[in-house]
């Protein structure tokens, strides 16, 4: 009887244990969301394998070992829903990791991050920096792209904190990267990038599907784009001088925030924003203008000996609008060189990103110097192309140089007679002025004639000053001892840093300074010899003498960190001008002949125009009034 009872108890125990096991299995069965996530992961894995088989030429790299597992139990899902609401679904997917997708073309290597759906790296494959390191526009979290929006359940979310699911497909030769922030399999916010095979410009769109009941239309939807620009050139201060935020607004106008100091501005109807870091640029463009744009630039170079990684920090805050409760914004994105030829080819006013100068200065560069230099450099080394372009410019400007020198020679011949007038009428300034002007008129000379040629040359001088620092073709092109015509040349390194000069010695600025000294000695010496000293006026000869020494010294310091191509131009230009002036002085102009001609002109009756007659009458009337006051 006891044995039978034991058997019954054993059976009851086994039954209870079996029931408990069944209960535990039922309690831990996968939820519908987990089953869907597992099925989705399988489908994505199959799709990746199929894509790799069908399109072996596309270089797409994705991580297969996730560092963070998706939410796997009801407690975690509940916590995510309490934080993210409808967007908690995105964090339950296998893509909710720091996984990256890499797409390469011949020009670019682009790395997309699941977290935030934005680019974590942009590498320009054709270029290296001054230290032979590949050029990255985006790397190591120096850039951010975020959409801040509200939800209907009163949450404020940022896309940079959320996980996007990536897919890569092909559209002909183009590669499409779709990053989707999912609420469900059919409802999502998408970043769509279409990368072209041989182009620095990619199509970019932000669109939503089925989120009209998720996104709060009463809350502002702001797109925030930020970047800290990397230093790519030898001289961080020189590169920073040409690093700027440029924008287009109101249907074609363009402006910038300024290259020197911190600046911020709010602008209406913006069609593109460019973060320009001298020779490389990031540009976000749209055909449908942003209603407003809050733009900001911060200079990160406080001490060029310490601050050597970044140049400036740029930020743009752009509003996105809902249409029928959904976002649908088509844009373009450019990551590439600040090359006038490349940017101008897009026919979207992007050539304004290249600082060629305003007004006539920009016109001269666009239609004269860029085509001329492009032609010369097509068959000459870049250094020789600069030399030949300088020769052509000086030959074209030689008539102006000739007229300037003739004017100075006339003034030199008239100086004794002007001195006599000054002595004769030293107590009558009005009469002295009348007689001096009468002498100039009879002799056919003018003290302003020597200044006019200099004013004519000013647009050319300034245009070339803008052209050389912006000439992308000069980047890393060598000539003689200069390794890079777009940066300074170095013949000696200093063991210390000289304020405003640097820690190196450049030879081209020294040669340019010596050449400008001798040029100014010739021109300033001629002017000092020809300009009479006016009583009561400052001694211009002393001022000119100071300038003769100060200008070369200023050039020596100022250009030590500038592009060696610009210093090469000024050196060659001044040497050619000195040669032209020596030829004019020794073989063309004869001061004795000029003096004889002036004497003949003085004998001829000089016709006066209406303005000259009126001025003469006014001066005579003023003289009469003065004499009448003395008699009283």
């Amino acid at each position: 009887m006891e044995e039978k009872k034991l058997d019954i108890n054993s059976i009851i125990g086994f039954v209870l244990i079996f029931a408990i096991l069944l209960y535990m299995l039922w309690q831990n069965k996968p939820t519908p969301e987990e089953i869907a996530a597992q099925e989705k992961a399988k489908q994505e894995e199959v799709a990746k394998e199929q894509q790799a088989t069908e399109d072996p030429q596309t270089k797409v790299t994705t991580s297969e070992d996730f560092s963070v597992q998706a939410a796997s139990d009801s407690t975690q899902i509940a916590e995510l829903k309490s934080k993210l609401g409808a967007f908690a679904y995105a964090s339950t997917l296998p893509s909710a990791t720091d996984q990256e997708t890499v797409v390469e073309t011949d020009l670019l290597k682009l790395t997309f991050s699941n977290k935030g759906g934005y680019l974590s790296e942009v590498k320009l494959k054709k270029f290296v920096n001054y230290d032979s390191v590949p050029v990255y526009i985006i790397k190591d979290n120096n850039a951010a792209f975020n959409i801040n929006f509200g939800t209907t359940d009163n949450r404020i979310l940022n896309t940079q904190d959320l996980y996007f699911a990536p897919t890569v497909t092909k559209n002909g030769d183009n590669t499409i990267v779709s990053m989707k922030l999912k609420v469900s399999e059919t409802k999502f916010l998408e970043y769509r990038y279409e990368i072209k095979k041989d182009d620095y410009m990619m199509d970019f769109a932000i669109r939503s599907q089925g989120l009209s009941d998720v996104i709060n239309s009463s809350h502002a939807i702001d797109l925030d784009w930020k970047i800290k620009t990397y230093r790519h050139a030898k001289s961080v201060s020189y590169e920073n001088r040409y690093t700027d935020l440029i924008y287009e607004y109101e249907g074609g106008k363009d402006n910038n925030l300024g290259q020197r100091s911190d600046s911020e501005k709010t602008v209406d109807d913006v069609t593109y924003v460019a973060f320009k870091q001298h020779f490389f640029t990031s540009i976000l463009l749209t055909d449908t203008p942003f209603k407003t744009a809050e733009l900001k630039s911060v200079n990160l170079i406080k001490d060029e000996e310490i601050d050597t990684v970044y140049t400036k920090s740029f930020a743009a805050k752009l509003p996105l609008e809902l249409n029928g409760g959904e976002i649908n914004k088509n844009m373009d994105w450019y990551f590439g060189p600040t090359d006038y030829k490349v940017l101008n080819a897009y026919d979207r006013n992007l050539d304004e990103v290249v600082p060629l100068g305003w007004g006539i200065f920009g016109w001269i560069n666009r239609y004269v110097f860029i085509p001329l230099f492009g032609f010369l450099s097509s068959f000459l080394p870049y250094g020789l192309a600069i030399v030949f372009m300088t020769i052509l410019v000086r030959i074209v400007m030689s008539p102006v140089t000739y007229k300037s020198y003739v004017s100075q020679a006339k003034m030199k011949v008239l100086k004794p007679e002007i001195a006599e007038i000054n002595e004769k009428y030293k107590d009558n300034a009005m009469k002295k002025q009348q007689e001096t002007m009468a002498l100039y008129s009879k002799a056919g000379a003018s003290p302003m004639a020597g200044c006019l040629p200099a004013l004519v040359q000013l647009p050319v001088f300034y245009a070339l000053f803008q052209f050389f620092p912006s000439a992308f073709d000069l980047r890393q092109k060598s000539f003689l001892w200069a390794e890079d015509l777009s940066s300074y040349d170095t013949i000696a390194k200093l063991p210390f840093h000289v304020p405003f000069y640097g820690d190196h010695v450049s030879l081209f600025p020294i040669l340019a300074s010596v050449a400008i000294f001798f040029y100014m000695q010739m021109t300033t010496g001629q002017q000092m010899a020809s300009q009479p000293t006016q009583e009561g006026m400052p001694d211009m000869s002393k001022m000119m003498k100071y300038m003769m020494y100060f200008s070369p010294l200023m050039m020596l310091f100022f250009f030590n960190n500038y592009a060696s191509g610009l210093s090469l131009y000024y050196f060659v230009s001044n040497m050619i001008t000195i040669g032209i002036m020596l030829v004019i002085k020794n073989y063309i102009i004869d001061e004795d002949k000029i003096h004889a001609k002036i004497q003949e002109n003085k004998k001829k009756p000089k016709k006066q125009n209406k303005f000259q007659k009126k001025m003469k009458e006014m001066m005579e009337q003023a003289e009469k009034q003065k004499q009448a006051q003395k008699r009283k």
Side-chain angles (χ1 to χ4, degrees):
M1 185 71 180
E2 187 70 18
E3 186 177 344
K4 185 176 181 180
K5 185 177 179 180
L6 181 63
D7 291 340
I8 293 173
N9 289 336
S10 298
I11 292 171
I12 293 173
F14 284 127
V15 170
L16 289 174
I17 291 171
F18 183 74
I20 291 170
L21 288 172
L22 287 176
Y23 177 79
M24 291 177 64
L25 289 171
W26 177 83
Q27 186 71 13
N28 291 293
K29 69 177 181 178
T31 64
E33 290 83 0
E34 290 173 332
I35 294 172
Q38 292 171 3
E39 184 63 29
K40 178 63 179 174
K42 291 179 182 179
Q43 292 175 0
E44 288 181 346
E45 190 65 27
V46 172
K48 289 174 187 174
E49 292 176 359
Q50 185 177 359
Q51 174 70 20
T53 304
E54 294 176 354
D55 186 25
Q57 294 182 346
T58 303
K59 298 179 71 175
V60 179
T61 305
T62 56
S63 172
E64 305 218 322
D65 296 321
F66 301 140
S67 58
V68 180
Q69 297 297 328
S72 59
D73 59 52
S74 57
T75 303
Q76 287 178 299
I77 293 172
E79 290 178 358
L80 288 171
K81 284 184 176 179
S82 69
K83 293 178 181 178
L84 305 176
F87 287 94
Y89 176 79
S91 294
T92 67
L93 303 176
S95 55
T97 68
D98 291 332
Q99 178 184 1
E100 292 182 333
T101 302
V102 180
V103 175
E104 291 193 53
T105 68
D106 291 341
L107 303 177
L108 299 167
K109 179 182 178 183
L110 305 169
T111 304
F112 301 85
S113 175
N114 283 13
K115 188 173 184 180
Y118 182 53
L119 290 154
S120 58
E121 277 191 4
V122 174
K123 176 184 177 182
L124 303 184
K125 297 172 68 173
K126 299 287 186 180
F127 307 105
V128 295
N129 68 8
Y130 72 101
D131 210 19
S132 300
V133 175
V135 169
Y136 287 89
I137 292 181
I138 298 175
K139 189 180 181 183
D140 297 334
N141 299 314
N142 74 311
F145 187 82
N146 177 56
I147 297 178
N148 176 272
F149 64 97
T151 63
T152 52
D153 54 359
N154 297 321
R155 289 179 172 83
I156 304 298
L157 299 179
N158 293 287
T159 57
Q160 66 185 7
D161 301 326
L162 304 175
Y163 289 97
F164 288 66
T167 58
V168 181
T169 57
K170 294 290 284 186
N171 180 19
D173 289 335
N174 298 347
T175 302
I176 298 173
V177 177
S178 172
M179 307 293 290
K180 291 180 179 178
L181 175 59
K182 296 183 177 182
V183 169
S184 70
E185 286 307 301
T186 58
K187 296 181 179 182
F188 50 80
L189 174 69
E190 180 186 23
Y191 294 167
R192 184 182 185 277
Y193 307 84
E194 184 164 353
I195 301 104
K196 300 162 189 175
K197 186 177 179 181
D198 297 309
D199 202 338
Y200 291 107
M201 185 86 75
M202 71 177 79
D203 296 339
F204 175 63
I206 302 174
R207 71 183 189 95
S208 65
Q209 179 175 299
L211 299 187
S212 57
D213 60 344
V214 177
I215 297 178
N216 186 353
S217 60
S218 63
H219 185 277
I221 305 173
D222 292 321
L223 185 161
D224 292 308
W225 178 36
K226 300 176 182 178
I227 194 169
K228 288 196 297 184
T229 55
Y230 277 116
R231 171 244 189 122
H232 297 301
K234 278 197 297 184
S235 173
V236 66
S237 59
Y238 177 69
E239 182 176 16
N240 198 36
R241 189 177 290 116
Y242 294 95
T243 298
D244 199 0
L245 191 156
I246 299 98
Y247 56 92
E248 183 190 57
Y249 66 107
E250 293 182 3
K253 299 178 183 178
D254 59 88
N255 207 337
N256 65 316
L257 289 192
Q259 301 165 334
R260 298 292 181 179
S261 58
D262 300 350
S263 180
E264 54 185 305
K265 188 182 294 185
T266 300
V267 189
D268 296 331
D269 296 325
V270 172
T271 42
Y272 76 64
V273 177
F275 296 160
K276 181 175 77 75
Q277 45 199 105
H278 196 187
F279 281 132
F280 302 99
T281 301
S282 312
I283 310 174
L284 183 64
L285 310 93
T286 178
D287 291 328
T288 55
F290 295 101
K291 283 190 174 180
T292 60
E294 296 178 21
L295 308 173
K296 186 176 183 180
S297 173
V298 178
N299 182 20
L300 301 179
I301 305 297
K302 307 302 180 184
D303 185 337
E304 62 183 83
E305 294 186 76
I306 300 173
D307 305 319
T308 59
V309 178
Y310 303 106
T311 52
K312 284 189 174 70
S313 173
F314 295 133
K317 186 176 183 179
L318 309 165
L320 295 176
E321 298 178 10
L322 292 174
N323 186 4
E326 303 287 352
I327 300 173
N328 190 6
K329 186 72 172 179
N330 294 318
M331 292 168 279
D332 297 286
W333 227 322
Y334 176 88
F335 295 100
T338 315
D339 188 335
Y340 177 84
K341 297 189 295 297
V342 174
L343 294 172
N344 192 49
Y346 290 109
D347 195 25
R348 297 183 68 175
N349 203 32
L350 297 183
D351 57 299
E352 296 296 340
V353 174
V354 184
L356 297 177
W358 54 271
I360 189 173
F361 311 116
W363 186 91
I364 292 172
N365 276 325
R366 283 180 176 86
Y367 301 110
V368 179
F369 291 134
I370 289 177
L372 176 60
F373 186 76
F375 169 72
L376 292 173
S377 61
S378 66
F379 60 89
L380 289 173
Y382 285 92
L384 288 179
I386 293 174
V387 172
F388 273 84
M389 186 172 79
T390 308
I391 293 171
L392 291 174
V393 170
R394 296 319 306 170
I395 289 174
V396 171
M397 300 301 294
S398 59
V400 177
T401 305
Y402 172 75
K403 289 184 178 181
S404 176
Y405 202 92
V406 169
S407 175
Q408 292 174 16
K410 286 182 178 180
M411 294 300 298
K412 182 179 179 182
V413 170
L414 290 175
K415 185 176 180 180
E417 296 183 51
I418 294 173
E420 289 179 11
I421 292 173
N422 289 340
E423 179 64 28
K424 185 175 181 180
Y425 300 104
K426 61 182 178 180
D427 297 325
N428 191 335
M430 185 72 72
K431 186 65 175 176
K432 180 171 61 176
Q433 185 71 13
Q434 283 181 324
E435 293 298 321
T436 301
M437 295 304 295
L439 176 62
Y440 287 152
S441 179
K442 288 180 181 179
S446 171
M448 294 300 296
C451 300
L452 291 176
L455 292 176
V456 172
Q457 295 182 75
L458 186 60
V460 175
F461 175 88
Y462 183 77
L464 286 166
F465 183 79
Q466 292 291 106
F467 169 79
F468 283 104
S470 303
F472 186 86
D473 288 342
L474 293 180
R475 186 177 182 274
Q476 297 182 344
K477 301 300 190 300
S478 62
F479 181 66
L480 299 178
W481 57 87
E483 296 178 352
D484 184 352
L485 287 169
S486 72
S487 186
Y488 60 80
D489 64 288
T490 304
I491 58 167
K493 289 290 291 183
L494 301 176
F496 48 82
H497 185 273
V498 179
F500 306 108
Y501 187 75
D503 59 357
H504 63 277
V505 177
S506 299
L507 182 54
F508 275 130
I510 294 174
L511 295 176
S513 299
V514 171
I516 199 173
F517 172 77
F518 285 107
Y519 166 71
M520 293 191 71
Q521 194 173 47
M522 291 179 67
T523 57
T524 305
Q526 180 78 357
Q527 289 175 359
M528 287 190 294
S530 63
Q531 292 289 344
T533 302
Q534 298 287 339
E535 188 177 347
M537 298 293 290
D539 190 348
M540 294 301 295
S541 62
K542 287 186 178 180
M543 294 180 65
M544 290 179 181
K545 189 174 182 180
Y546 291 146
M547 285 299 297
M548 186 169 62
Y549 292 99
F550 178 72
S551 294
L553 187 64
M554 185 178 67
M555 172 171 274
L556 182 65
F557 272 79
F558 188 73
F559 283 88
N560 195 59
N561 289 296
Y562 253 69
S564 53
L566 183 62
S567 300
L568 171 62
Y569 164 77
Y570 284 130
F571 168 62
V572 176
S573 178
N574 285 315
M575 291 301 294
I576 294 171
T577 305
I578 290 171
I580 291 173
M581 291 180 67
L582 288 173
V583 171
I584 292 172
K585 179 181 179 181
N586 295 319
Y587 300 100
I588 299 177
I589 289 181
D590 188 330
E591 291 185 3
D592 293 334
K593 289 182 178 180
I594 290 175
H595 185 271
K597 189 173 182 179
I598 287 175
Q599 298 308 316
E600 289 180 11
N601 289 339
K602 286 165 64 176
K603 295 175 183 178
K604 296 178 182 178
K606 186 70 176 178
K607 292 183 179 181
Q608 293 181 329
N609 56 38
K610 290 183 180 181
F611 176 75
Q612 289 173 325
K613 288 180 180 179
K614 188 67 176 176
M615 286 296 296
K616 183 178 180 182
E617 290 173 2
M618 290 173 63
M619 293 179 72
E620 288 175 350
Q621 188 176 359
E623 180 64 22
K624 288 178 182 179
Q625 290 177 353
K626 184 177 179 181
Q627 294 298 329
Q629 288 176 354
K630 284 183 177 181
R631 286 194 295 269
K632 291 180 180 180

